[in-house]
């Protein structure tokens, strides 16, 4: 019993969760009881969908020991190409065909990353930095990107369809829980299963911990990286697709720049930046914290002039706590090692 | 060791992100040092029709600047002047500054720029002027290092014009607030300031939301939408949001629709006709305000040409473009020229603009 309590206190997820609770109480207090209202919680959940899906992909790459900074560009290009194509052929059907197309393009672009990172063994951050430029360039040059104010009806219908509508009994304000939330849940469940219950998923953790040992243990390091980047491409493309559906317009560049907050959220959630460690739960909690902070500054009564300072400071504090946790874990691990060594003598 | 490096890397990233989002002021230091001193005195004299005039928008995918490009291309076709638009693929003060530096290095004859961030661009424009390049700006009245800045109208006049539209929608009463792309954006804040001043005398039954008198949309429809939702939740008395950037009013309108506040809350502001046709016809937005970016683009090039040819620039200035045919200097300024180019867009006329 004592041991399990100690285990909980030793986990980064616990601290992020505690931070979430403290912050939400603070917002509740400062906003005159507006945080814990049905419609506000739905708003936060709705704002979490896109960053949350992105975070799942980012988490996989970080666990494998690399950084992916190309996913906003990858998502933008995939969804822009899809939307433009669907508009050009006057597509009037449902969501399935555009969704398949966007996933296919995402997979293709992910394979581009995966080839260089996996088979040529180049640094993931450098490759994806370059890939990001390439993807933007294709959008700009080949597709001559500009904002698409109208999106196909099927996509629009999906983006605006609601699972349920939450009403604030006091103010009468209503908020829609988008159907897309189910996609987020599905992506998280699939990723969890993949990472924790399959040989491939354990391979991702293994090669993040130590590629040489992973190879010695029988994992195909190159292929694992390659396939992982394809998956990440697919996941990112889905996130971009949902964003466009929900916004009911396709803006080619306004997802760019999101990568920083997403990576911060994942690291905040306890994923080791050196790879090999971290949990999907932490990743989601960390992202939720960032989303909550970004969308509660007015509720919290922070003046616009101080908003970025506040958000930045919270990220620094949050990641600081996570980093301390990692340090502490490393120290106790090395202590354990010395103890076993001494024991062996 | 590897872990330490990784930790440092992550820390750098976190800090750079904080720096990026907390205003753009930190950026000018880095740009200053890289490109000073060696650019003076290279302006060569070229004759007549060979001028190369480049228009730099905030970015090149925003429909606003796509439309500006149409104007610039039209002008080139009609007059045979070598002018073209060149933009970065996203709104980013650093990228824009780099682009302008590249153009200085290429030694073009005139740079017409719509600045993203005034503070960080000003020193770069000084380099351009030092290099003998004519600098014309649009939506950048506070810039120091320019030959002339063109405004489609006086910022005060346009701010009042938006306020008239908002007041009409709100029935001239209730609490409102203002939204700008960023607190460092020159024109947006001048419109909002003027609108608020004007409201005090013209619409005494309206009040500004003191707790959040100005919010930011970052020129992003999704941000405008989320900020508006938060505002309406926190301040139930809020009845109107005055938008300035072309992403503000459409984003706010989505929030109004979703929150069930149609006909209880209102918004107006700058907006492109084609993008907002559905919202205007639906009635969630009553009217939007605008000037034609294509004409503004033409006016910049036309003025640059005048300066290059050594023609006198005196008020009232006629640039031969509608809305820019009787331009006057802003009070107390010798560089800022103002026209009379504003228009209202509503459900009736929205389809008549062709863009």
């Amino acid at each position: 019993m004592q041991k399990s309590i100690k285990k909980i206190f030793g986990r980064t997820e616990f601290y992020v969760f505690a931070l979430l609770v403290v912050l939400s109480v603070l917002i509740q207090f400062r906003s005159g009881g507006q945080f814990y209202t049905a419609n506000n919680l739905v708003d936060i959940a709705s704002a979490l969908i896109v960053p949350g899906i992105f975070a799942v992909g980012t988490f996989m790459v970080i666990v494998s020991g690399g950084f992916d900074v190309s996913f906003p560009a990858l998502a933008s290009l995939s969804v822009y190409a899809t939307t433009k194509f669907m508009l050009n052929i006057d597509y009037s059907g449902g969501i399935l065909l555009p969704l398949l197309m966007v996933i296919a393009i995402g997979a293709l672009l992910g394979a581009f990353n995966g080839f260089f990172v996996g088979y040529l063994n180049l640094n993931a951050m450098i490759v994806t930095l370059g890939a990001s430029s390439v993807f933007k360039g294709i959008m700009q040059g080949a597709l001559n990107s500009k904002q698409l104010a109208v999106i196909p009806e099927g996509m629009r219908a999906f983006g605006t369809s609601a699972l349920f509508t939450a009403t604030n009994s006091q103010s009468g304000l209503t908020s829609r829980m988008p159907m897309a939330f189910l996609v987020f849940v599905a992506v998280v469940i699939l990723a969890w299963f993949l990472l924790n219950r399959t040989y491939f998923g354990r391979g991702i953790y293994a090669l993040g911990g130590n590629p040489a040992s992973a190879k010695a243990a029988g994992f195909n390091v190159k292929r694992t990286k390659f396939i992982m980047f394809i998956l990440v491409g697919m996941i990112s493309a889905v996130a971009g697709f949902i964003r466009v559906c929900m916004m009911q317009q396709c803006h080619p560049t306004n997802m760019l720049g999101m990568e920083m907050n997403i990576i911060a959220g994942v690291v905040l959630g306890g994923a080791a930046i050196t790879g090999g460690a971290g949990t999907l739960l932490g990743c989601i909690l960390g992202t939720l914290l960032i989303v909550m902070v970004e969308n509660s500054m007015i509720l919290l009564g922070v003046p616009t002039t101080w908003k970025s300072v506040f958000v930045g400071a919270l990220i620094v504090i949050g990641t600081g706590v996570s980093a301390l946790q990692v340090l502490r874990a490393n120290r106790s691990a090395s202590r354990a090692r010395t103890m076993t060594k001494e024991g062996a003598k | 060791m590897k872990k330490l490096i990784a930790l440092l890397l992550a820390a750098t990233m976190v800090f750079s992100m904080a720096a990026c989002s907390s205003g753009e002021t930190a950026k000018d230091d880095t740009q200053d040092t890289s490109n000073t001193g060696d650019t003076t005195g290279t302006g060569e004299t070229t004759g007549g029709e060979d001028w190369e005039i480049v228009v730099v928008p905030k970015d090149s995918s925003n429909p606003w600047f796509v439309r500006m490009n149409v104007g610039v291309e039209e002008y080139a076709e009609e007059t045979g002047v070598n002018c073209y638009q060149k933009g970065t693929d996203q709104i980013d003060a650093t990228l824009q500054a780099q682009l302008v530096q590249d153009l200085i290095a290429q030694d073009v004859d005139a740079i017409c720029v719509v600045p993203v961030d005034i503070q960080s661009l000003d020193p770069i424009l000084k380099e351009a002027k030092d290099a003998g390049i004519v600098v014309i700006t649009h939506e950048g009245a506070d810039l120091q290092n320019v030959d002339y800045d063109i405004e489609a109208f006086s910022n005060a006049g346009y701010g009042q014009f938006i306020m008239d539209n908002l007041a009409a929608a709100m029935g001239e009463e209730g609490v409102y607030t203002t939204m700008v792309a960023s607190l460092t954006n020159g024109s947006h804040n001048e419109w909002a300031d003027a609108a608020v001043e004007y409201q005090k005398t013209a619409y005494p039954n309206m009040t500004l939301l003191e707790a959040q008198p100005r919010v930011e949309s970052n020129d992003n429809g999704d941000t405008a939408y989320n900020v508006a939702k938060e505002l309406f939740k926190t301040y139930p008395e809020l009845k109107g949001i005055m938008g300035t950037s072309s992403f503000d009013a459409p984003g706010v309108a989505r929030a109004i629709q979703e929150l069930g506040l149609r006909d209880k809350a209102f918004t107006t502001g700058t907006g492109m006709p084609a993008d907002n046709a559905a919202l205007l016809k639906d009635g969630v937005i009553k009217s939007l305000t605008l000037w034609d970016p294509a004409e503004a683009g033409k006016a910049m090039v036309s003025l640059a040409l005048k300066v290059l040819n050594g023609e006198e620039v005196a008020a009232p200035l006629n640039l031969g473009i509608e809305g820019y045919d009787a331009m006057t200097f802003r009070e107390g300024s010798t560089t800022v020229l103002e026209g009379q180019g504003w228009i209202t867009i509503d459900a009736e006329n929205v389809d008549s603009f062709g863009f």
Side-chain angles (χ1 to χ4, degrees):
Chain A
M1 181 61 202
Q2 220 180 355
K3 212 175 174 185
S4 65
I5 288 177
K6 212 175 165 187
K7 209 172 152 193
I8 291 174
F9 275 108
R11 292 181 60 174
T12 315
E13 290 86 343
F14 171 77
Y15 291 97
V16 178
F17 185 72
L19 203 57
L20 272 171
V21 172
V22 170
L23 192 73
S24 67
V25 170
L26 187 72
I27 300 167
Q28 172 80 355
F29 180 70
R30 291 273 303 165
S31 64
Q34 285 299 309
F35 187 82
Y36 286 109
T37 54
N39 69 319
N40 186 59
L41 294 177
V42 166
D43 283 344
I44 301 263
S46 155
L48 175 68
I49 298 173
V50 173
I53 300 176
F54 274 138
V56 170
T58 304
F59 174 74
M60 286 164 94
V61 181
I62 291 184
V63 163
S64 81
F67 275 106
D68 179 2
V69 293
S70 70
F71 62 88
L74 185 150
S76 302
L77 173 55
S78 318
V79 72
Y80 189 82
T82 305
T83 312
K84 193 162 184 174
F85 178 74
M86 291 296 158
L87 285 173
N88 280 350
I89 61 166
D90 276 326
Y91 179 75
S92 56
I95 185 85
L96 202 64
L97 187 65
L99 185 63
L100 286 177
M101 180 170 167
V102 85
I103 290 177
I105 300 177
L108 193 73
L109 301 178
F112 176 87
N113 280 335
F115 174 74
F116 286 101
V117 178
Y119 287 106
L120 300 187
N121 201 22
L122 298 174
N123 181 298
M125 187 154 162
I126 306 296
V127 168
T128 54
L129 209 58
S132 184
S133 281
V134 172
F135 298 161
K136 274 187 270 178
I138 294 175
M139 208 160 40
Q140 191 78 10
L143 299 175
N144 191 17
S145 61
K146 53 180 188 146
Q147 180 172 312
L148 305 171
V150 180
I151 61 173
E153 180 53 30
M155 288 168 67
R156 202 194 62 79
F158 172 74
T160 51
S161 63
L163 272 178
F164 58 87
T165 305
T167 311
N168 184 329
S169 50
Q170 276 181 339
S171 61
L173 297 178
T174 53
S175 287
R176 271 196 310 259
M177 176 62 105
M179 198 68 88
F181 194 77
L182 291 181
V183 179
F184 166 62
V185 173
V187 168
V188 171
I189 292 174
L190 280 174
W192 183 87
F193 182 80
L194 197 74
L195 282 167
N196 296 293
R197 290 286 179 272
T198 67
Y199 181 74
F200 169 76
R202 297 325 289 174
I204 293 179
Y205 274 95
L207 69 93
N210 186 334
S213 329
K215 202 172 178 192
F219 289 107
N220 186 333
V221 172
K222 288 179 177 174
R223 200 176 60 202
T224 306
K225 277 190 185 170
F226 182 65
I227 295 176
M228 183 194 74
F229 269 101
I230 293 180
L231 282 172
V232 171
M234 291 159 76
I235 292 171
S236 306
V238 168
F241 183 72
I242 286 177
R243 171 152 168 137
V244 165
C245 292
M246 283 174 65
M247 280 188 73
Q248 301 159 52
Q249 48 166 261
C250 182
H251 190 277
T253 60
N254 76 10
M255 270 187 278
L256 305 179
M258 279 179 88
E259 64 271 17
M260 283 306 180
N261 272 358
I262 306 279
I263 292 174
V266 172
V267 173
L268 215 153
I273 30 191
T274 45
T279 63
L280 206 52
L281 175 69
C283 152
I284 300 300
L285 285 177
T287 310
L288 177 60
L289 184 63
I290 300 257
V291 167
M292 208 170 95
V293 170
E294 279 195 319
N295 288 295
S296 299
M297 285 295 117
I298 292 171
L299 284 168
L300 203 51
V302 176
T304 312
T305 21
W306 288 95
K307 183 184 164 178
S308 342
V309 175
F310 203 88
V311 174
L314 223 128
I315 291 171
V316 173
I317 294 168
T319 36
V321 170
S322 302
L324 258 171
Q325 255 327 103
V326 172
L327 265 175
R328 217 192 293 168
N330 283 348
R331 216 175 291 152
S332 62
S334 68
R335 204 166 36 224
R337 260 201 304 277
T338 16
M339 270 160 73
T340 40
K341 260 187 214 158
E342 274 167 8
K345 277 178 200 165
Chain B
M1 189 59 207
K2 202 176 155 197
K3 277 184 183 159
L4 186 76
I5 291 173
L7 206 70
L8 276 173
L9 253 175
T12 323
M13 250 159 60
V14 168
F15 277 110
S16 68
M17 175 180 51
C20 285
S21 50
S22 59
E24 320 285 303
T25 36
K27 281 173 187 159
D28 17 356
D29 316 331
T30 45
Q31 271 140 23
D32 268 322
T33 47
S34 60
N35 213 337
T36 37
D38 55 341
T39 43
T40 36
T42 48
E44 51 190 276
T45 44
T46 22
E49 297 295 293
D50 292 341
W51 303 119
E52 184 176 4
I53 302 170
V54 189
V55 177
V56 179
K58 284 192 200 176
D59 78 343
S60 51
S61 59
N62 184 333
W64 189 257
F65 298 110
V66 173
R67 172 71 185 166
M68 184 174 279
N69 191 32
V70 171
V72 174
E73 279 175 358
E74 234 173 62
Y75 194 86
E77 221 165 88
E78 283 165 14
T79 59
V81 174
N82 177 19
C83 59
Y84 56 91
Q85 182 165 311
K86 191 170 185 177
T88 56
D89 54 13
Q90 55 180 304
I91 292 196
D92 184 309
T94 317
L95 291 179
Q96 189 183 45
Q98 279 165 2
L99 176 58
V100 173
Q101 282 179 327
D102 288 348
L103 292 172
I104 297 172
Q106 286 168 29
D107 200 22
V108 297
D109 297 297
I111 299 176
C112 304
V113 53
V114 188
V116 175
D117 180 68
I118 291 194
Q119 271 100 37
S120 60
L121 194 66
D122 219 6
I124 315 280
L125 293 183
K126 184 171 189 319
E127 289 170 25
K129 281 200 74 181
D130 288 346
I133 296 170
V134 170
V135 175
I136 306 289
T137 56
H138 174 55
E139 280 191 61
D142 288 336
L143 286 164
Q144 300 299 317
N145 298 297
V146 299
D147 285 278
Y148 295 101
D149 177 77
I150 285 190
E151 300 295 325
F153 32 66
S154 77
N155 283 327
Y158 187 62
Q160 291 171 2
F161 183 66
I162 302 179
M163 181 50 72
D164 282 333
N165 277 274
L166 182 68
M170 287 172 67
E172 303 191 7
E173 57 165 24
V175 179
Y176 73 97
T177 189
T178 58
M179 183 180 274
V180 294
S182 75
L183 293 177
T184 51
N185 182 299
S187 300
H188 292 178
N189 284 286
E190 284 179 37
W191 303 342
D193 287 343
V196 171
E197 268 316 302
Y198 173 65
Q199 167 269 315
K200 283 177 191 159
T201 51
Y203 303 107
N205 293 331
M206 289 170 67
T207 40
L208 179 65
L209 181 67
E210 284 305 330
Q212 294 281 352
R214 193 150 307 168
V215 292
E216 289 181 322
S217 70
N218 300 331
D219 262 332
N220 184 328
D222 206 42
T223 312
Y225 159 77
N226 280 320
V227 166
K229 278 212 292 193
E230 242 194 286
L231 281 170
F232 287 123
K233 274 186 289 195
T234 318
Y235 306 102
E237 69 276 23
L238 186 65
K239 196 177 166 190
I241 297 180
M242 170 188 159
T244 51
S245 135
S246 56
F247 292 96
D248 298 351
V252 175
R254 267 179 67 212
I256 291 175
Q257 275 179 328
E258 189 188 318
L259 292 169
L261 286 173
R262 174 195 294 268
D263 295 327
K264 290 180 202 146
F266 307 91
T267 186
T268 187
T270 313
M272 296 288 280
D275 296 355
N276 297 295
L279 289 168
L280 283 163
K281 286 175 186 165
D282 173 90
V284 63
I285 301 179
K286 307 280 181 245
S287 68
L288 289 168
T289 57
L290 191 67
W291 68 102
D292 189 344
E295 304 293 310
K298 286 184 194 174
M300 277 198 287
V301 177
S302 167
L303 181 56
L305 208 59
K306 263 194 180 357
V307 175
L308 283 170
N309 289 335
E311 288 173 39
E312 194 197 8
V313 177
L317 179 70
N318 185 354
L319 294 177
I321 291 149
E322 205 187 322
Y324 301 84
D325 41 12
M327 301 191 80
T328 51
F329 281 105
R330 173 173 299 180
E331 224 176 279
S333 169
T334 52
T335 54
V336 181
L337 285 156
E338 297 171 336
Q340 299 82 24
W342 55 61
I343 47 178
T344 302
I345 304 161
D346 55 26
E348 267 99 65
N349 70 2
V350 63
D351 291 327
S352 66
F353 291 94
F355 70 91

